[in-house]
Amino acid sequence: MERLRPLILRSGFFAFSVVVFLATGGCGDPVQTNTGSASAEGMWIGTVATTRTLTAVVLDEGTYYLFYSTPGNSSILSGVIQGTGTSASGTFSSANAKDFAVQSAALEATLSGPFVARQFLNGTVAYTGGGTTAFTSSYNTAYDTTPTIGSFAGMYQGQASSSGGSQAATITVASDGSFTGTEQNGCTFAGNFTLRTRGNVVDQTLTFGGGTCFFGNTTLTGIAIRDLATNRLYAAAPNNARTDAAMFLGVKIL
């Protein structure tokens, strides 16, 4: 039984987070890094339940973000599965997975599946309320390089999402890693992203401006993925209680 939910576009109070890692190779003099030879650490590209595309990252300490699209449309984000996991004896497992689907309450789940370092990562997500869904993925060597902050400067346009739904949003990133943005309903936000010590990933801190913002004046942290082949930017940041998450999928336009 598939529990991943499709994206439903709505206007209203929504928000998103911005941070980047390059999904198809570095930019701005990337530096080679080392990944764990016996862990699922890395970037992974694949499919979920055969009809949804998957773009995922497992960080060196085990935190993971699995971005999944709507069925048959890789350009629309439907949600992200996030949690912390462990790699042992060729199995990646997590007892605290949360499925942050657009237009839906967060679903609790577990995640488990086989992997071979730098080759493949497959798994099954089993929901506490019943039902499972499976994914398959292969390693993307873009994780092996570290980007520069300046390489992310520019304007990105796309959809900002949360449990409340989705709406149009735009962000502008400066060469020092600071950024500002607006959403269709008038919500404004600002933040910074910084390089991590391992992997082609950037951390981010994002503060919303209150008013019409779905997340009020709160500050969220998370990560994101930038796919240079399509100029797509994937981003997600759960709230502290992990009851909701700010998500984004957009394209660099300037």
Side-chain angles (χ1 to χ4, degrees), residues 188-201:
T188 61
F189 50 88
N192 291 276
F193 48 80
T194 56
L195 298 177
R196 293 179 57 84
T197 57
R198 287 174 63 90
N200 201 345
V201 184

Side-chain angles (χ1 to χ4, degrees), residues 124-142:
T124 298
V125 180
Y127 294 91
T128 302
T132 62
T133 192
F135 66 89
T136 60
S137 65
S138 57
Y139 188 75
N140 189 318
T141 57

Side-chain angles (χ1 to χ4, degrees), residues 98 215 218-221 237-244:
K98 284 287 187 77
F215 290 99
T218 59
T219 296
L220 304 180
T221 59
N239 61 11
N240 289 337
R242 297 182 72 221
T243 57
D244 209 335

